[in-house]
C-alpha cells in the first residue's frame, strides 16, 4: 500500500505561524479526522470536529474509536485538549447544518483558519449494475450528495467568514482517482473529478481574498478502506469469466477477505462466480461485495492498521495546513506519484499521435485579429474570405 508508516513521518512538521489556528474537520469521527485532530491538538491548535449524531450513537467500531478518542481528550485535560476541542453536529449534505457548524466554530474560537473536507463514501458497481433498480440509482445520487455536493456546501458556508478575515485555507481530501479512472468505481471517480474541477475553478475566485485551496490526493486505500463502502449487486455480463476488465469489486473483495473482522462477521460463500481467484486465501473469504443484494459497511480495520495507513497522508496535512504558500495539488505516496505520472505520459503520447488532427481545425488569424475563414461558393468564383469583410457585411 502507498501509505505505509515510516519513522520519518511520526513527528508532524507544522508550518510556522504566529498564533494557534482553528481547524474545522467535516468528518471528525473518521480515522483521518481522529488521527489529524490528535496531532493538531498536541500541536496547540483548536479543532472543531463535525460528526453525524446518529452515527455517533451506533454501537460499531467507528463510533467506539471516536468515543475512545474523546476519553483520551479528557485525560489530556492538563494539556488543554478539552478546551481546544469542540464537537458539532454536521452532515455536510445539509446546507443548514454546514452554516450552523461554521457559526458555532466562530462563536467558540472566533474564526475558522483551516477547513478540512474529509467526508467520503465509495459506491462500487459498473455502470449497468448501478442502473438496474431504483435502489441502485439512488446510490448514484448518494455518491454525489456525499462526495461532491456535501463538500461544496461546507466550502460555500465557510467562505464568507474567511473572506471577512482575509485569510483562510481550504483542504480537500481527494485521491488519485481524481486522475485515474477505475473500472467498477465509475461513480466514485466521477464525483471526485467533479469536486476537483469545482475546487480548481473557485481557487481563482477566492485567491484575491487571500484564501488558499489545496487538493490532497491520497492513495486509493485511504478513500476506500477508511470510509463507508456500498456495493451494488453484480451483473452476470460483468462476471470475470465473461468480462476480463479488472473490476475493483474483485480487488476490494480480496482485501476485505484478509481482515479478521470480515471473516468473523460474514459467512463465506462457497460458490460465487465473482470470487477473487488469485490465491487460496482470497478464494476462501466471504466476498461480501459479490452478494446478490446491496451491501454497505465500514471495513473493520484496527486502529493500529488505520494509523499506519494514514501516516503519510496526515504528515502531509500537518505540513500543508495553513502554509503561507501551499500547493494547489499534493499527491501522497510513491505509488500515487508513479500512477499519475504514467497517466500524464499516456495522455501526452496520445496527444502527439493525433496532434495533426488537432491542428487541422485551427482557423488562421489575419493581421487585424479576424478569423480568415474561407468558403468556396457554388459559382466557382474563388474562396470567400470572411476576415476581409467588416462587421456590418458579416451580419447582413
Amino acid at each position: 500500500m502507498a501509505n505505509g508508516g515510516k519513522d520519518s513521518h511520526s513527528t508532524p512538521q507544522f508550518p510556522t505561524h504566529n498564533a494557534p489556528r482553528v481547524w474545522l474537520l467535516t468528518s471528525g469521527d473518521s480515522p483521518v479526522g481522529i488521527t489529524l485532530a490528535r496531532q493538531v491538538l498536541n500541536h496547540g491548535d483548536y479543532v472543531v470536529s463535525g460528526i453525524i449524531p446518529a452515527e455517533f450513537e451506533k454501537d460499531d467500531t467507528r463510533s467506539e474509536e471516536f468515543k475512545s478518542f474523546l476519553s483520551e481528550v479528557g485525560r489530556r485535560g492538563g494539556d488543554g485538549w478539552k478546551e481546544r476541542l469542540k464537537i458539532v453536529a454536521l452532515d455536510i449534505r445539509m446546507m443548514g447544518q454546514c452554516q450552523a457548524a461554521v457559526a458555532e466554530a466562530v462563536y467558540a474560537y472566533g474564526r475558522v483558519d483551516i477547513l478540512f473536507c474529509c467526508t467520503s463514501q465509495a459506491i462500487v458497481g459498473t455502470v449497468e449494475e448501478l442502473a438496474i433498480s431504483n435502489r441502485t440509482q439512488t446510490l448514484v445520487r448518494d455518491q454525489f450528495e456525499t462526495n461532491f455536493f456535501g463538500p461544496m456546501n461546507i466550502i460555500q458556508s465557510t467562505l464568507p467568514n474567511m473572506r471577512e478575515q482575509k485569510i483562510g485555507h481550504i483542504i480537500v481530501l481527494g485521491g488519485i482517482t481524481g486522475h485515474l479512472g477505475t473500472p467498477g468505481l465509475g461513480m466514485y471517480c466521477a464525483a471526485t473529478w467533479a469536486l476537483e474541477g469545482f475546487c480548481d475553478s473557485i481557487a481563482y475566485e477566492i485567491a484575491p481574498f487571500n484564501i488558499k485551496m489545496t487538493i490532497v490526493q491520497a492513495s486509493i486505500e485511504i478513500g476506500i478502506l477508511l470510509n463507508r463502502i456500498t456495493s451494488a449487486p453484480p451483473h452476470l455480463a460483468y462476471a470475470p469469466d465473461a468480462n476480463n476488465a479488472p473490476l475493483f469489486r474483485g480487488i476490494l473483495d480480496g482485501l476485505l477477505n484478509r481482515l479478521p473482522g470480515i471473516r468473523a462477521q460474514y459467512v463465506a460463500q462457497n460458490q460465487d462466480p465473482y470470487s477473487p481467484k488469485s490465491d487460496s486465501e482470497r478464494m476462501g473469504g466471504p466476498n461480501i461485495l459479490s452478494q446478490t443484494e446491496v451491501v454497505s459497511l465500514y471495513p473493520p480495520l484496527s486502529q493500529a492498521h488505520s494509523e499506519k495507513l494514514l501516516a503519510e497522508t496526515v504528515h502531509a496535512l500537518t505540513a500543508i495546513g495553513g502554509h503561507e504558500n501551499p500547493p494547489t495539488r499534493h499527491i501522497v505516496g510513491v505509488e500515487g506519484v508513479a500512477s499519475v505520472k504514467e497517466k500524464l505520459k499516456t495522455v501526452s503520447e496520445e496527444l502527439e499521435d493525433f496532434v495533426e488532427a488537432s491542428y487541422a481545425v485551427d482557423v488562421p488569424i489575419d493581421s487585424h485579429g479576424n478569423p480568415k475563414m474561407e468558403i468556396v461558393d457554388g459559382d466557382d468564383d474563388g474562396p470567400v474570405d470572411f476576415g476581409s469583410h467588416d462587421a456590418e457585411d458579416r451580419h447582413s
Side-chain angles (χ1 to χ4, degrees), residues 50-62:
I51 67 167
I52 299 177
E55 295 290 329
F56 178 77
E57 297 299 329
K58 290 182 179 179
D59 184 20
D60 57 19
T61 302
R62 189 180 180 97

Side-chain angles (χ1 to χ4, degrees), residues 13-23 36 40 43 45 111-116 162 165 167-171 210-214 216 316-327:
Q13 301 294 324
F14 288 85
T16 302
H17 51 93
N18 297 325
R21 289 87 48 84
V22 179
W23 297 63
L36 179 62
V40 169
H43 179 65
D45 285 350
R111 58 195 297 117
V112 174
D113 297 298
I114 304 166
L115 169 64
F116 179 45
M162 289 185 172
Q165 65 195 28
I167 193 170
H169 189 187
I170 299 170
I171 304 176
N210 196 29
I211 302 173
K212 315 295 184 183
M213 170 70 75
T214 297
V216 174
L317 292 169
T318 57
I320 292 171
H323 197 284
E324 184 179 356
N325 187 29

Side-chain angles (χ1 to χ4, degrees), residues 209-277:
F209 305 115
N210 196 29
I211 302 173
K212 315 295 184 183
M213 170 70 75
T214 297
I215 299 170
V216 174
Q217 294 184 326
S219 69
I220 196 169
E221 295 96 339
I222 299 297
I224 305 296
L225 293 179
L226 299 180
N227 294 292
R228 180 181 292 280
I229 300 169
T230 302
S231 178
H235 190 296
L236 286 175
Y238 294 89
D241 56 355
N243 187 320
N244 61 2
L247 298 182
F248 193 75
R249 175 185 284 112
I251 298 171
L252 187 54
D253 254 340
L255 291 173
L256 294 176
N257 285 347
R258 295 170 179 159
L259 300 179
I262 292 293
R263 290 180 175 275
Q265 185 175 356
Y266 296 92
V267 178
Q269 304 293 314
N270 294 325
Q271 294 182 350
D272 188 339
Y274 300 93
S275 299
K277 300 178 174 65

Side-chain angles (χ1 to χ4, degrees), residues 140-206:
V140 175
R141 296 183 179 89
D142 290 344
Q143 178 74 93
F144 278 84
E145 287 290 342
T146 301
N147 289 38
F148 174 69
F149 289 108
M152 184 177 70
N153 288 341
I154 190 65
I155 289 172
Q156 289 174 329
S157 300
T158 308
L159 280 177
N161 175 258
M162 289 185 172
R163 178 165 45 80
E164 183 178 355
Q165 65 195 28
K166 295 182 173 60
I167 193 170
H169 189 187
I170 299 170
I171 304 176
V172 173
L173 183 62
I176 60 171
T177 46
H179 276 289
L180 309 174
T182 305
L185 277 181
M187 298 307 157
Y188 177 78
C189 293
T192 303
W193 287 37
L195 180 59
E196 293 208 5
F198 169 75
C199 292
D200 280 344
S201 299
I202 69 167
Y204 295 98
E205 301 172 8
I206 63 180

Side-chain angles (χ1 to χ4, degrees), residues 23-182:
W23 297 63
L24 173 55
L25 315 183
T26 63
S27 187
D29 58 347
S30 65
V32 66
I34 293 172
T35 304
L36 179 62
R38 184 180 288 114
Q39 300 278 22
V40 169
L41 290 171
N42 195 51
H43 179 65
D45 285 350
Y46 294 80
V47 175
V48 178
S49 189
I51 67 167
I52 299 177
E55 295 290 329
F56 178 77
E57 297 299 329
K58 290 182 179 179
D59 184 20
D60 57 19
T61 302
R62 189 180 180 97
S63 177
E64 289 303 317
E65 288 178 354
F66 186 63
K67 292 172 183 177
S68 176
F69 168 67
L70 294 181
S71 298
E72 179 185 354
V73 171
R75 295 192 299 270
R76 298 292 296 269
D79 298 326
W81 281 29
K82 189 174 182 179
E83 291 74 21
R84 288 185 283 109
L85 173 67
K86 183 173 181 61
I87 309 299
V88 298
L90 178 57
D91 183 342
I92 62 173
R93 297 171 298 181
M94 311 297 292
M95 176 62 84
Q97 289 195 23
C98 292
Q99 295 170 337
V102 173
E104 289 188 59
V106 173
Y107 181 80
Y109 301 130
R111 58 195 297 117
V112 174
D113 297 298
I114 304 166
L115 169 64
F116 179 45
C117 298
C118 56
T119 305
S120 179
Q121 68 168 331
I123 305 300
V124 179
T126 65
V127 61
E128 288 192 83
E129 291 165 354
L130 291 169
I132 204 166
S133 68
N134 289 335
R135 175 74 175 95
T136 57
Q137 290 174 22
T138 300
L139 294 179
V140 175
R141 296 183 179 89
D142 290 344
Q143 178 74 93
F144 278 84
E145 287 290 342
T146 301
N147 289 38
F148 174 69
F149 289 108
M152 184 177 70
N153 288 341
I154 190 65
I155 289 172
Q156 289 174 329
S157 300
T158 308
L159 280 177
N161 175 258
M162 289 185 172
R163 178 165 45 80
E164 183 178 355
Q165 65 195 28
K166 295 182 173 60
I167 193 170
H169 189 187
I170 299 170
I171 304 176
V172 173
L173 183 62
I176 60 171
T177 46
H179 276 289
L180 309 174
T182 305

Side-chain angles (χ1 to χ4, degrees), residues 335-352:
E335 292 179 12
V337 171
S339 297
V340 172
K341 281 186 175 180
E342 185 63 28
K343 171 63 180 292
L344 295 177
K345 178 184 176 183
T346 301
V347 171
S348 179
E349 290 174 349
E350 290 181 347
L351 179 65
E352 292 300 323

